[in-house]
Amino acid sequence: MHCNHNIKFALISLNFLNLPTFKTNYNIMLRSHNCGELRKKDCGKEVILYGWVQRTRDLGGMTFIDIRDRYGITQLTFSAELNVELYKKAKSLGREYVIKASGTVVERSNKNFQIPTGEVEIIVHSLELLNNSDNIPFTIEDDTDGGEELRMKYRYLDLRRNVVKQNLLIRHLLAFETRNFLNQFDFIEIDTPILIKSTPEGARDFLVPSRMNPGQFYALPQSPQTFKQLLMIGGLDRYFQIAKCFRDEDFRADRQPEFTQIDCEMSFVNKEDIYELFESLIGHLFAKIKNIELDDFSVMTYNDAMKYYGTDKPDTRFGMKLVELNEFAKEKGFKVFDDAEFVAGIKVPQCAYYSRKQIDELTEWVKRPQIGGKGLVYVKVNDDGTIKSSVDKFFNEDDLKNWANHFNAEKGDLLLIMAGDKNPTRRALGELRLEMANRLKLKDPAKYECVWVEEFPLLEWDDVTGRYYAMHHPFTSPVEEDLSKLDTEPNNVRANAYDLVINGVEIGGGSIRINNRDLQLKMFNILGLSNEEIENQFGFLMNAFCYGAPPHGGIALGFDRLCALFAGTDSIRDVIAFPKNNAGRDVMIDSPAPIDEKQLKELHLKLDNLQ
Amino acid sequence: MHCNHNIKFALISLNFLNLPTFKTNYNIMLRSHNCGELRKKDCGKEVILYGWVQRTRDLGGMTFIDIRDRYGITQLTFSAELNVELYKKAKSLGREYVIKASGTVVERSNKNFQIPTGEVEIIVHSLELLNNSDNIPFTIEDDTDGGEELRMKYRYLDLRRNVVKQNLLIRHLLAFETRNFLNQFDFIEIDTPILIKSTPEGARDFLVPSRMNPGQFYALPQSPQTFKQLLMIGGLDRYFQIAKCFRDEDFRADRQPEFTQIDCEMSFVNKEDIYELFESLIGHLFAKIKNIELDDFSVMTYNDAMKYYGTDKPDTRFGMKLVELNEFAKEKGFKVFDDAEFVAGIKVPQCAYYSRKQIDELTEWVKRPQIGGKGLVYVKVNDDGTIKSSVDKFFNEDDLKNWANHFNAEKGDLLLIMAGDKNPTRRALGELRLEMANRLKLKDPAKYECVWVEEFPLLEWDDVTGRYYAMHHPFTSPVEEDLSKLDTEPNNVRANAYDLVINGVEIGGGSIRINNRDLQLKMFNILGLSNEEIENQFGFLMNAFCYGAPPHGGIALGFDRLCALFAGTDSIRDVIAFPKNNAGRDVMIDSPAPIDEKQLKELHLKLDNLQ
């Protein structure tokens, strides 16, 4: 039965998650047991269950009700022969009605081994209707008939579905086990303020007008960055916080205006300390929650990540690394390649059989604006060893064989080659690589590959504003041996920063921080901040550097992303109890919303410039 | 030595708190040990310590440095004879300089048993200065010379002091143990949104203008109340969250615009279930963190609390309960009593010796506007059994002896009596009772008495606005047997609500909630909300009640208050890492602050009506 099958899945998973068991010895609770715990050994017991009607079946003279709560489902039985009143009452119950049932546990003749309670049922002798329910707008089943918009509006009903409930359980366990682990290593959790101060450097802040200070505003934190650094200066040594952060971005797919970070900072550490500790944390979480032992983490420079994967978030579960072709492809008379800064490609295993139509479709795919490719050259290494290419007018068989050798291609492999400016071409090939992995099902969902990416550039030049931006943030220290280049060639300075990437998803990032006032000042100056701006926005931090700031560094892990990874979903909306949609709206409570004129007045504000 | 004494206190307390020990087997850390862990058994080891210079002493040819970190203090020694360079370098270090020292652990000849590391010292053979420090604005000692304003501005330095650090450790442990306990009982922690919707019912919201939705606003939550109810309707069964809450109040002493709650909700429970579970939680916290076994909690009705303690937050650690005197004091010709609605007093033990001056001073005390008493009548039961009173012109000795008997007064006791309207008089006497307990040192700081106060009135009438307000909040259910009075005498309906009071401090409160749409509608109507307002503000909740809302209830504990109680401080500012002052300002980061014109424009706002 479809419904039972789903439930079975959920319960097995819950057991697997090592959830604590419900304490029935908590003896004064209204219910004697929950709906997921009765077994054959309980036969003969008088029990009281509370829950929702999952469904009612009438077999003529007998009515069966599946009663559901967070913990499972139990079958209630009502016989017209035994009690016709009760039987009629049971028959009349609709889906999602809330009931209390008292009865005797008996062994079922017709056992259902799909669910943990399936060997027993309850002969009910007292039934109370606690609340009824209107017809629900979508079915409370794993395969629901409700679309996302509808389920978001009725999120409280969506939460009753196993998949959504399970995601919240995973989120709870991830937070709980993170705290257990970090507490063991002397981290103390410290909550930093939510009402802080706007610092226009970086992304856009959400602002909160102060009624008590007319014309002044608080800002919501984009991260607890400066506060955690102050905690290190304050000697707290090891800090963490599972912190809410806020960013007023133009909304994009799968971004939330409020999101959650596992935010950590340590004093007297170097990069390697951070790697070791947070590898252990991630290992702990996988072991506790997914029962998986992780392989060792790898370390990759930013340059290598870009070179081999075309991205700083490499998915290393599969090959198809980027291979550069300049020396083989240029100056052979093919103008597209000759004019390009950069020619490179990937080797797609055993796809030489791709049809013209398939190649054309891939070519259209790379030309989409999100990818930005100008075209796609293919080279097929046929099973008979011959080579076929879209550019065989320009390159002879030896040339193409050289390419194939350079790629280590085998018979049956397909080379896909792009050309253009270096960085865009790398990025486009990186996207193509991921796309081919999807199509060829090379992303093993049971495999988790963790990579530290390091040696990022400290600064990025922006042509539009004509200034440098900090690639990580302005508090990141340069790699020590590059310090001297800060004045002469700032674009070649590497940051003492690192990202943690799992299966191609950026799970977190951090750095060893600047703890020296002069260096921080220089950094702000390189970023174009005037001394007045520095004083206004970061005066407290600059000041703190004057009083014995220890060496320190840390990391922030994207908690929503981590939950999504563990839940096996692509969308962080699936692991947030009450998410906002891509336009930043909570469609359930209908927020944001207009406010009273009186409230505006109290805040010393006027609406202005509404389109 | 004063300084060492303070440190000893801190370390002993830290041990007592059962803090996890620092993991030195975490072997790649820069330091080999922290500054609090070396003992006699470590003698001979080569160690590397990092920390701050607590102080430097030069004894001519020998320099001693106390190096400090979060975990403790260790003595470093430098001898001119062994290494004159190093000796000179050590001598030159100032307070709060950050150093790295490598050396050999040796047994001290001159042991200091005041600190755990006091049997050893480090013969340093390598010293690195990592950062220096300006002269600090106040001393980093328990008895600091810094005033509160200064310490708030340099909060990052204040954090280095043992008392402040210790308070944050207590806060961490309270949160950690709360989570451990609740997780054991199947509660799952679910974080609810911070950007929600303004509901003008209740206190004032902080508002967040939406850039993407011109003219619309989010609000910051005053509590996760409606969300946790939706979680119960969503079948999550047991929820908790250590949640940030926000209230834009006219700032008062010891109120913070952002504060923290342990927020809990359970389905299928009654009041008694809540009591039992949260008594266990509080008991768990006292056992784990203070090593104290609590007595049983008592239960008191709101009426009894007002009657005997003049407050709904009774401190039951001491007696001096209010005693009513109407039947003994009225209609005897003393106009003050005859005109008063209510005459009552307290018996102050063994204070009959109070001088005229002392009584006068108390009389002035009760007349202060915060107390609002109109005067104070005394009756002294002298040691020889005679009675002396300020009203012996109006009452004869027999009258006064009757009073004394009614109070169960013994020789040497002092009765303090007030008259006026019933509720104000009770409140004033309640305040006087607390004041006398302070003066007589009756509030035993080592004693913790926990009381559930229940049967609060559901509604409070407000003469100014001419409407009822919910005493707890509009989602609180009435006591079942009072339901029928909702239409006829709403002011006599009791709420199914409860407060948890410890030593006279309200630590939390909660209620069994309304889970029925019609009752909730009636409640909103009694509170004067129009159907349109209900739909606009609470439509999502009213809607949710249509789909099988289970019986549910919960509690919210004031986490900052709880931390203050455990830390033994009166001010929640002492247990918050970065508190705001009583005007809602963060004086360290200087917030709130003006923002850019550009930011205002983006938010479609204009400043208006600035004084």
Side-chain angles (χ1 to χ4, degrees):
Chain A
M1 277 172 300
H2 179 68
C3 172
N4 275 348
H5 175 73
N6 291 338
I7 289 145
K8 175 199 160 206
F9 167 77
L11 285 164
I12 289 172
S13 307
L14 292 190
N15 285 344
F16 173 60
L17 290 171
N18 283 322
L19 284 180
T21 51
F22 185 82
K23 301 296 173 302
T24 43
N25 57 353
Y26 223 73
N27 53 26
I28 63 153
M29 293 287 164
L30 294 177
R31 57 191 161 191
S32 70
H33 297 76
N34 67 51
C35 300
E37 69 177 324
L38 291 170
R39 299 289 183 275
K40 220 165 104 179
K41 66 174 170 42
D42 298 305
C43 286
K45 282 186 186 159
E46 291 299 304
V47 298
I48 305 172
L49 302 184
Y50 283 73
W52 286 264
V53 173
Q54 176 73 20
R55 59 172 187 160
T56 313
R57 279 165 302 156
D58 181 47
L59 301 185
M62 288 292 285
T63 284
F64 300 93
I65 291 181
D66 282 345
I67 182 173
R68 186 199 70 232
D69 67 10
R70 181 181 122 196
Y71 312 91
I73 278 194
T74 300
Q75 179 164 293
L76 308 176
T77 67
F78 302 83
S79 142
E81 209 171 304
L82 281 175
N83 187 332
V84 72
E85 282 302 308
L86 213 54
Y87 163 76
K88 279 186 185 163
K89 194 171 175 184
K91 238 175 83 164
S92 73
L93 298 176
R95 276 189 181 236
E96 302 306 318
Y97 280 33
V98 185
I99 57 171
K100 169 187 180 182
S102 311
T104 314
V105 184
V106 299
E107 192 169 350
R108 270 164 84 162
S109 51
N110 179 18
K111 292 195 172 62
N112 175 359
F113 292 103
Q114 308 280 303
I115 62 173
T117 63
E119 292 191 75
V120 299
E121 61 190 354
I122 315 296
I123 309 281
V124 177
H125 42 65
S126 153
L127 176 68
E128 200 179 321
L129 175 62
L130 301 173
N131 219 339
N132 52 19
S133 172
D134 288 357
N135 280 332
I136 42 180
F138 51 85
T139 55
I140 311 289
E141 282 171 19
D142 288 8
D143 263 336
T144 180
D145 55 358
E148 191 178 1
E149 190 73 8
L150 195 67
R151 285 185 290 111
M152 290 279 271
K153 183 170 175 200
Y154 295 93
R155 184 67 169 178
Y156 44 88
L157 296 180
D158 208 21
L159 293 175
R160 290 185 194 164
R161 294 173 56 233
N162 283 323
V163 274
V164 184
K165 183 179 71 184
Q166 180 115 340
N167 288 348
L168 295 186
L169 284 167
I170 288 173
R171 187 177 177 100
H172 163 68
L173 285 173
L174 276 169
F176 187 73
E177 289 299 340
T178 296
R179 288 186 164 103
N180 274 344
F181 179 89
L182 292 174
N183 180 68
Q184 243 180 66
F185 286 99
D186 277 351
F187 284 79
I188 65 176
E189 185 163 24
I190 298 176
D191 49 317
T192 55
I194 298 289
L195 295 171
I196 66 163
K197 186 176 174 173
S198 184
T199 55
E201 180 71 17
R204 220 182 258 109
D205 290 323
F206 279 107
L207 296 174
V208 183
S210 164
R211 184 177 57 88
M212 302 290 284
N213 301 272
Q216 302 193 2
F217 291 74
Y218 301 99
L220 305 183
Q222 295 182 33
S223 90
Q225 183 63 34
T226 49
F227 288 98
K228 70 175 172 177
Q229 293 193 242
L230 293 175
L231 289 172
M232 293 305 101
I233 296 171
L236 271 306
D237 205 74
R238 296 179 174 197
Y239 140 94
F240 82 104
Q241 180 183 194
I242 301 189
K244 281 267 161 147
C245 304
F246 305 85
R247 213 168 280 176
D248 184 11
E249 291 181 298
D250 297 334
F251 298 113
R252 294 187 261 157
D254 214 29
R255 286 276 183 148
Q256 291 281 316
E258 53 182 302
F259 55 99
T260 306
Q261 261 178 214
I262 303 174
D263 192 53
C264 304
E265 198 79 3
M266 306 168 78
S267 291
F268 307 120
V269 291
N270 58 24
K271 189 181 67 180
E272 287 73 21
D273 294 331
I274 306 263
Y275 288 5
E276 180 155 342
L277 192 74
F278 288 92
E279 286 177 22
S280 299
L281 168 63
I282 298 289
H284 174 83
L285 297 177
F286 272 95
K288 281 279 180 179
I289 294 163
K290 292 189 93 70
N291 203 20
I292 287 175
E293 198 180 329
L294 288 184
D295 289 339
D296 286 346
F297 287 39
S298 52
V299 177
M300 195 183 294
T301 63
Y302 171 82
N303 282 342
D304 278 354
M306 293 307 294
K307 181 172 174 163
Y308 295 118
Y309 299 92
T311 173
D312 56 0
K313 298 184 268 294
D315 189 338
T316 58
R317 279 176 297 176
F318 53 93
M320 288 201 289
K321 287 187 196 174
L322 277 55
V323 175
E324 295 180 9
L325 268 189
N326 274 17
E327 57 175 307
F328 297 90
K330 292 182 69 137
E331 286 162 40
K332 299 275 180 175
F334 181 44
K335 198 170 168 348
V336 172
F337 284 178
D338 289 348
D339 290 353
E341 181 189 2
F342 186 73
V343 183
I346 58 172
K347 177 186 72 185
V348 186
Q350 299 305 306
C351 286
Y353 68 86
Y354 265 33
S355 68
R356 176 64 178 263
K357 199 177 148 199
Q358 280 174 298
I359 300 276
D360 284 351
E361 191 263 324
L362 277 179
T363 309
E364 287 314 306
W365 190 89
V366 300
K367 282 177 162 175
R368 298 185 317 154
Q370 305 95 300
I371 311 299
K374 292 190 187 107
L376 195 60
V377 165
Y378 72 84
V379 177
K380 292 176 175 175
V381 182
N382 293 321
D383 286 341
D384 60 6
T386 62
I387 289 196
K388 167 86 188 126
S389 168
S390 50
V391 291
D392 40 24
K393 263 182 279 181
F394 304 96
F395 300 90
N396 60 36
E397 178 128 8
D398 278 352
D399 285 334
L400 297 176
K401 277 202 168 145
N402 281 340
W403 295 14
N405 284 337
H406 185 53
F407 271 95
N408 276 323
E410 292 177 14
K411 288 175 182 170
D413 286 351
L414 170 71
L415 311 183
L416 296 174
I417 294 156
M418 298 176 71
D421 286 346
K422 189 170 178 177
N423 285 334
T425 303
R426 280 180 164 173
R427 288 193 188 279
L429 274 169
E431 294 288 344
L432 179 62
R433 175 179 174 269
L434 294 175
E435 174 67 16
M436 294 314 298
N438 281 339
R439 294 184 184 202
L440 301 173
K441 304 212 184 323
L442 299 180
K443 293 180 171 176
D444 182 351
K447 203 167 157 184
Y448 294 89
E449 295 226 342
C450 308
V451 184
W452 291 106
V453 179
E454 61 180 23
E455 295 187 17
F456 285 85
L458 183 69
L459 299 159
E460 282 179 308
W461 178 261
D462 181 54
D463 275 332
V464 180
T465 50
R467 53 160 280 200
Y468 281 110
Y469 285 87
M471 193 152 176
H472 188 57
H473 57 50
F475 313 106
T476 297
S477 71
V479 166
E480 198 154 337
E481 63 198 82
D482 291 357
L483 262 178
S484 59
K485 297 187 200 160
L486 257 186
D487 295 309
T488 51
E489 35 173 345
N491 49 323
N492 280 332
V493 175
R494 290 166 298 169
N496 203 344
Y498 31 81
D499 275 357
L500 174 59
V501 176
I502 305 182
N503 290 359
V505 177
E506 185 194 324
I507 290 298
S511 62
I512 301 299
R513 324 298 183 186
I514 295 169
N515 72 325
N516 175 290
R517 192 178 194 279
D518 294 336
L519 183 57
Q520 187 66 68
L521 202 59
K522 178 179 266 183
M523 186 69 187
F524 280 138
N525 286 333
I526 291 174
L527 297 174
L529 269 75
S530 72
N531 285 349
E532 197 195 333
E533 285 169 323
I534 296 168
E535 177 55 33
N536 270 346
Q537 292 171 31
F538 301 108
F540 59 99
L541 185 66
M542 300 306 284
N543 218 8
F545 282 147
C546 300
Y547 298 103
H552 61 289
I555 195 167
L557 305 176
F559 185 61
D560 305 303
R561 284 256 149 265
L562 193 67
C563 293
L565 183 80
F566 273 73
T569 171
D570 285 330
S571 169
I572 62 171
R573 278 198 304 279
D574 293 343
V575 293
I576 295 174
F578 298 103
K580 295 184 174 55
N581 71 10
N582 284 341
R585 290 201 73 82
D586 183 326
V587 298
M588 179 186 72
I589 65 172
D590 195 21
S591 167
I595 57 170
D596 286 355
E597 194 55 42
K598 179 170 160 273
Q599 289 176 291
L600 264 179
K601 211 167 204 136
E602 282 183 335
L603 297 175
H604 320 279
L605 291 176
K606 230 182 177 159
L607 298 183
D608 183 45
N609 181 32
L610 304 182
Q611 286 84 357
Chain B
M1 279 172 299
H2 179 68
C3 173
N4 277 346
H5 174 73
N6 290 338
I7 288 146
K8 175 200 159 206
F9 167 77
L11 286 165
I12 288 173
S13 308
L14 292 190
N15 285 345
F16 172 60
L17 291 171
N18 283 320
L19 284 179
T21 52
F22 185 81
K23 301 298 172 301
T24 44
N25 56 354
Y26 223 75
N27 52 27
I28 64 154
M29 294 286 163
L30 294 178
R31 57 190 160 192
S32 70
H33 296 76
N34 67 52
C35 299
E37 68 177 325
L38 291 171
R39 299 288 183 276
K40 219 165 104 179
K41 67 174 171 41
D42 298 305
C43 285
K45 282 187 185 159
E46 292 300 304
V47 298
I48 306 173
L49 302 185
Y50 282 74
W52 286 262
V53 173
Q54 175 75 19
R55 58 172 187 163
T56 314
R57 278 164 303 156
D58 182 46
L59 301 185
M62 289 290 286
T63 285
F64 300 94
I65 291 181
D66 283 345
I67 182 173
R68 185 199 72 231
D69 66 9
R70 181 181 121 195
Y71 312 92
I73 277 194
T74 300
Q75 179 165 292
L76 309 177
T77 68
F78 303 83
S79 141
E81 209 170 303
L82 281 176
N83 186 332
V84 72
E85 283 301 308
L86 214 55
Y87 163 76
K88 280 186 186 162
K89 193 171 176 184
K91 239 175 82 163
S92 73
L93 298 176
R95 278 189 180 235
E96 302 305 318
Y97 281 33
V98 185
I99 57 172
K100 169 187 178 182
S102 311
T104 313
V105 184
V106 299
E107 192 169 350
R108 272 166 83 162
S109 52
N110 180 18
K111 293 196 172 60
N112 175 359
F113 292 104
Q114 307 280 302
I115 62 173
T117 64
E119 291 192 75
V120 299
E121 61 190 354
I122 316 296
I123 310 280
V124 176
H125 42 65
S126 154
L127 175 68
E128 201 179 321
L129 175 61
L130 301 173
N131 219 338
N132 52 20
S133 172
D134 288 357
N135 280 332
I136 41 179
F138 51 86
T139 54
I140 311 289
E141 282 170 19
D142 288 7
D143 263 334
T144 181
D145 55 359
E148 191 178 1
E149 190 73 8
L150 196 66
R151 285 186 289 110
M152 290 278 271
K153 183 171 175 199
Y154 295 93
R155 184 66 169 178
Y156 44 88
L157 297 179
D158 208 21
L159 292 175
R160 290 186 194 163
R161 295 171 58 233
N162 283 323
V163 274
V164 185
K165 183 179 71 184
Q166 180 116 341
N167 287 347
L168 295 186
L169 284 167
I170 288 173
R171 188 177 175 99
H172 162 68
L173 286 174
L174 277 169
F176 188 73
E177 289 299 341
T178 296
R179 289 185 163 105
N180 274 344
F181 179 90
L182 292 174
N183 181 68
Q184 244 180 64
F185 286 99
D186 277 352
F187 284 78
I188 66 177
E189 186 163 23
I190 298 176
D191 49 314
T192 55
I194 298 289
L195 294 171
I196 65 164
K197 186 175 174 174
S198 183
T199 54
E201 180 70 18
R204 222 182 255 108
D205 291 321
F206 279 106
L207 296 174
V208 183
S210 165
R211 185 177 56 88
M212 302 290 283
N213 301 272
Q216 301 194 3
F217 291 73
Y218 301 99
L220 304 182
Q222 295 182 32
S223 91
Q225 183 63 34
T226 49
F227 288 98
K228 70 175 172 178
Q229 293 193 242
L230 292 175
L231 289 172
M232 293 305 103
I233 295 172
L236 271 306
D237 205 74
R238 293 178 176 198
Y239 139 95
F240 83 102
Q241 181 182 194
I242 301 189
K244 281 267 161 144
C245 305
F246 305 85
R247 215 168 278 175
D248 184 11
E249 290 182 299
D250 297 333
F251 299 112
R252 293 186 262 157
D254 215 30
R255 285 277 182 147
Q256 292 280 317
E258 52 182 301
F259 55 98
T260 306
Q261 260 179 213
I262 304 173
D263 192 53
C264 305
E265 198 78 5
M266 307 169 78
S267 290
F268 308 120
V269 291
N270 57 25
K271 190 180 66 179
E272 287 73 22
D273 294 330
I274 306 263
Y275 287 5
E276 180 155 342
L277 192 74
F278 288 91
E279 284 177 23
S280 299
L281 168 63
I282 297 289
H284 174 82
L285 297 177
F286 271 94
K288 281 277 178 180
I289 294 164
K290 292 189 94 68
N291 204 20
I292 285 174
E293 198 180 329
L294 288 184
D295 289 339
D296 287 345
F297 288 39
S298 53
V299 178
M300 195 184 294
T301 63
Y302 170 84
N303 281 343
D304 278 353
M306 294 306 296
K307 179 172 174 161
Y308 296 117
Y309 299 92
T311 173
D312 56 1
K313 298 184 267 296
D315 189 338
T316 57
R317 280 176 296 177
F318 53 92
M320 289 201 288
K321 287 187 197 175
L322 277 56
V323 175
E324 295 179 11
L325 268 189
N326 275 17
E327 58 174 308
F328 297 90
K330 291 183 68 136
E331 287 162 38
K332 300 274 181 177
F334 180 42
K335 198 170 167 351
V336 172
F337 286 178
D338 288 348
D339 290 353
E341 181 190 2
F342 187 73
V343 183
I346 58 172
K347 176 186 72 184
V348 186
Q350 299 305 306
C351 286
Y353 67 86
Y354 266 32
S355 67
R356 177 62 180 264
K357 201 177 146 201
Q358 280 173 299
I359 301 274
D360 284 350
E361 191 263 322
L362 277 179
T363 309
E364 287 314 306
W365 189 91
V366 302
K367 282 177 161 175
R368 298 185 316 153
Q370 305 95 299
I371 311 299
K374 294 190 186 107
L376 194 60
V377 164
Y378 73 82
V379 176
K380 293 176 177 175
V381 182
N382 294 321
D383 286 339
D384 61 5
T386 62
I387 289 195
K388 166 87 188 123
S389 167
S390 50
V391 291
D392 41 21
K393 264 183 279 179
F394 303 97
F395 299 91
N396 60 36
E397 179 130 5
D398 277 353
D399 285 334
L400 295 176
K401 278 203 168 143
N402 279 341
W403 295 13
N405 284 338
H406 185 53
F407 271 95
N408 276 322
E410 291 177 16
K411 287 173 183 172
D413 287 350
L414 170 71
L415 311 184
L416 295 174
I417 293 155
M418 297 177 72
D421 286 346
K422 187 170 180 178
N423 286 333
T425 303
R426 280 180 164 172
R427 288 191 188 280
L429 274 170
E431 294 289 342
L432 179 62
R433 174 178 174 271
L434 293 176
E435 174 66 15
M436 294 314 297
N438 282 338
R439 295 184 182 203
L440 301 174
K441 304 213 185 319
L442 300 180
K443 294 179 170 177
D444 182 351
K447 202 167 158 186
Y448 295 90
E449 296 226 340
C450 308
V451 184
W452 292 105
V453 179
E454 61 180 24
E455 296 188 16
F456 285 85
L458 183 69
L459 300 160
E460 283 179 306
W461 178 260
D462 181 55
D463 276 332
V464 180
T465 51
R467 52 161 280 201
Y468 281 110
Y469 284 87
M471 192 153 179
H472 188 56
H473 57 51
F475 313 105
T476 297
S477 69
V479 166
E480 198 153 337
E481 64 199 80
D482 291 356
L483 263 177
S484 59
K485 296 187 201 160
L486 257 185
D487 295 309
T488 51
E489 35 173 346
N491 50 322
N492 279 333
V493 175
R494 289 165 299 167
N496 203 342
Y498 31 82
D499 275 357
L500 174 59
V501 176
I502 304 182
N503 290 358
V505 177
E506 185 194 324
I507 290 297
S511 62
I512 301 300
R513 324 298 183 186
I514 295 170
N515 72 326
N516 174 291
R517 192 177 193 281
D518 294 336
L519 183 56
Q520 187 65 68
L521 202 61
K522 179 180 265 184
M523 186 68 186
F524 281 138
N525 286 333
I526 290 173
L527 296 173
L529 269 75
S530 71
N531 285 350
E532 197 195 332
E533 286 169 320
I534 297 169
E535 179 53 33
N536 272 344
Q537 293 171 30
F538 302 107
F540 59 98
L541 186 66
M542 299 307 284
N543 217 7
F545 282 147
C546 299
Y547 298 104
H552 62 288
I555 194 167
L557 304 176
F559 185 61
D560 305 302
R561 284 255 150 267
L562 193 66
C563 292
L565 182 81
F566 273 72
T569 170
D570 284 331
S571 169
I572 62 171
R573 278 198 304 279
D574 294 343
V575 293
I576 294 174
F578 298 102
K580 296 184 174 55
N581 71 11
N582 284 341
R585 290 201 75 81
D586 184 324
V587 297
M588 180 186 70
I589 65 171
D590 194 22
S591 167
I595 56 170
D596 286 355
E597 193 55 41
K598 179 172 160 272
Q599 290 176 293
L600 264 179
K601 211 167 205 136
E602 283 183 335
L603 297 175
H604 320 279
L605 291 175
K606 231 184 180 158
L607 297 183
D608 183 46
N609 181 33
L610 304 182
Q611 286 85 358

